[in-house]
Amino acid sequence: MQANEDYRTIKNICCIGAGYVGGPTMAVMADKCPNIRVTVVDKDEKKINLWNSDNLDKLPVFEPFLSEIIKRTRFKNLFFSNDINNAIKNADMVFISVNTPIKTSGIGAGQASNLKWVESCARQIGEAAEGYTIVVEKSTLPVKTAQTIKDILSFYSLSSQGSQDKIKFSILSNPEFLSEGSAINDLENPDRVLIGGEDQIAVNKLKDIYFNWIPSEKIICTNLWSSELSKLISNAFLAQRISSINSVAAICEESGADVREVSKAIGSDRRIGKEFLNAGPGFGGSCFKKDVLNLVYLCRHFGLEEVANYWEQVVLINSWNQRRIYKIIVQKLFGNIAGKKLAVFGYAFKANTNDTRESPSRAIIKSLLSEEAIIAIHDPKVFESQISNELEEDLTKIKINNASKNKMWTFSRDIYETVKGADAIIILTEWDMYSNLNWEKISSLMRHPAWVFDTRSIVNKVEVRTSGINFWRIGGSN
Ligand code: UDX
Ligand code: UDX
């Protein structure tokens, strides 16, 4: 943007990070704001090529209805590019939507977020931006990250003083609450849009963009730190609900109650609400574990040890729940699964996405592989290469020798191929297709006595049992 024109409406947006958040978010923004040119950039050239691919089945992110939006907007007002500097230079507003994984070494390893990419984005913006530029944090970040971005950018503002085109930056926080699998609907009809920031002109400009499709009463404005913290707390509350209901599932299994009935009974209380009460193999995805652990780190930093322990338990229960399911499988299969073929239905961390980050499926498969089971995986959307990379890493960790590695697992998009000769089927992702299977045919292909372990409660237990297969599902009353 040209200097001294900060009253103008936004015409050019750049988003750094063409991942699960940046891609769909910018696609919807471009679709709703035909007068704004949106350029999504990424350092990963291969990913950008896939976003630009003629074949819409090759988009790097699978999300229902995404390809239709890409078709409508791409090369019109939505562009995917590797030319990061140029996109920043032309932008009035730059969204930072890069990943912030948990640090694996150094201070805060295992809990704090690795902010090296956010920091390098801030520097890149500082170098390349021309004129007044609004920088918007989209990524979920630890509280006070905006201060880091501010400090870095203020150096570039100062160093450009005296030049004709003085840069001025405003920093906003605008966390994304979309849930994968329903991202498009969540972006088109969000419960709320949260904007944190002090510079009212910048806040208004971002509000103006959202006014194109979001009613004003849904836009909540706060200070920067409340906005950053609200995103962390939102995810922590959601994760806490899942750990709570999974702990209740274990009580149900012991006591003769049924977790589905308990969920319904408690969820009918408006104060509790119906959503997010499905017991399962635990939460996965890029956010929940990372954000809760971030919160734990923050609490310890502030000396709030009891508060930290409280939130940490949410993550500990999640892993405990996965180990619990794995132990039940081994125990039902006569305490031995070495050499047995186990069919795993679903590898994505939830249905309607090809994302596998922190997938419960991966965690449970890893435990089963450590018992030397042979795993046959089915998933309708996850790329086989993704599974291969992850399992290769896990097999190395559990010290399976190289010669055996590729005999330990198979992948197929054909259900019947997957179950052929299997002793058990473990349903780990709630893909719709798994609730409408021909159990008679599946049973005829399996080795008996055979089992179905339904960790998502999505199959008809009577049909499974009638076909001659033993049945276990999460949360009791089998
Ligand atoms: C999410 C959210 O944005 C964030 O809130 C959450 O904290 C973690 O992950 P997501 O879009 O799901 O991000 O991550 P991902 O699909 O990995 O996309 C991030 C993209 O940023 C990648 O394509 C990566 O190549 C790109 N990137 C990363 C850059 O372009 N530049 C960088 O410096 C770092
Ligand atoms: C989450 C938040 O919902 C979203 O607001 C935030 O922006 C990013 O993190 P996402 O991880 O995409 O979104 O999916 P979500 O639907 O929240 O599911 C997370 C995990 O919890 C999945 O593994 C899912 O299977 C599990 N889950 C969810 C349950 O086990 N039971 C439930 O009742 C709901």
Side-chain angles (χ1 to χ4, degrees), residues 123 127 149-160:
R123 289 182 199 282
E127 296 278 349
I149 301 175
K150 268 185 182 173
D151 290 347
I152 292 171
L153 291 179
S154 69
F155 163 77
Y156 289 95
S157 284
L158 288 174
S159 63
S160 74

Side-chain angles (χ1 to χ4, degrees), residues 354-425:
N354 60 349
D355 193 349
T356 65
R357 287 175 289 180
E358 298 292 339
S359 176
S361 193
R362 179 178 179 185
I364 292 172
I365 288 173
K366 186 176 171 197
S367 299
L368 299 171
L369 284 170
S370 72
E371 301 272 344
E372 295 177 26
I374 313 291
I375 308 296
I377 301 165
H378 176 276
D379 191 286
K381 287 292 173 193
V382 174
F383 299 120
E384 183 174 358
S385 56
Q386 178 70 18
I387 299 176
S388 175
N389 291 340
E390 295 184 354
L391 293 192
E392 174 79 16
E393 199 183 310
D394 293 345
L395 285 164
T396 305
K397 277 190 196 144
I398 54 181
K399 300 193 169 53
I400 299 282
N401 69 45
N402 281 340
S404 310
K405 269 182 186 167
N406 55 4
K407 295 187 202 125
M408 300 296 290
W409 68 278
T410 56
F411 174 80
S412 172
R413 296 237 194 257
D414 179 341
I415 287 274
Y416 300 115
E417 184 63 36
T418 309
V419 302
K420 216 177 270 173
D423 292 275
I425 294 169

Side-chain angles (χ1 to χ4, degrees), residues 49-100:
N49 291 342
L50 290 173
W51 280 111
N52 282 325
S53 159
D54 288 341
N55 181 351
L56 291 176
D57 288 338
K58 288 200 170 154
L59 294 181
V61 171
F62 169 75
E63 233 357 288
F65 313 113
L66 175 63
S67 56
E68 287 89 333
I69 296 181
I70 296 288
K71 210 168 154 187
R72 280 203 294 274
T73 52
R74 204 177 49 179
F75 311 128
K76 291 192 183 97
N77 67 326
L78 176 67
F79 301 87
F80 292 92
S81 161
N82 283 123
D83 191 348
I84 303 181
N85 284 343
N86 202 37
I88 294 173
K89 186 177 127 198
N90 292 325
D92 317 305
M93 185 176 269
V94 179
F95 286 84
I96 299 181
S97 193
V98 297
N99 42 338
T100 49

Side-chain angles (χ1 to χ4, degrees), residues 13-28:
I13 285 178
C14 162
C15 171
I16 311 178
Y20 284 90
V21 172
T25 306
M26 291 300 129
V28 169

Side-chain angles (χ1 to χ4, degrees), residues 16-22 41-44 47 84 97-100 117 120-121 138-140 180 231 286-287 290-291 357:
I16 311 178
Y20 284 90
V21 172
V41 293
D42 203 292
K43 62 177 183 172
D44 182 342
K47 196 174 268 188
I84 303 181
S97 193
V98 297
N99 42 338
T100 49
W117 290 300
S120 69
C121 281
K138 246 306 162 209
S139 308
T140 310
E180 287 175 33
K231 172 69 203 235
S286 70
C287 284
K290 170 175 72 69
D291 291 351
R357 287 175 289 180

Side-chain angles (χ1 to χ4, degrees), residues 110-169:
Q111 289 188 334
S113 270
N114 191 337
L115 294 179
K116 69 177 178 186
W117 290 300
V118 173
E119 194 181 323
S120 69
C121 281
R123 289 182 199 282
Q124 205 163 7
I125 295 168
E127 296 278 349
E130 285 187 359
Y132 175 63
T133 306
I134 300 169
V135 177
V136 187
E137 297 176 339
K138 246 306 162 209
S139 308
T140 310
L141 297 165
V143 180
K144 294 281 180 186
T145 305
Q147 192 58 51
T148 308
I149 301 175
K150 268 185 182 173
D151 290 347
I152 292 171
L153 291 179
S154 69
F155 163 77
Y156 289 95
S157 284
L158 288 174
S159 63
S160 74
Q161 267 179 7
S163 81
Q164 234 185 356
D165 214 13
K166 189 184 151 204
I167 306 171
K168 190 181 139 220
F169 294 104

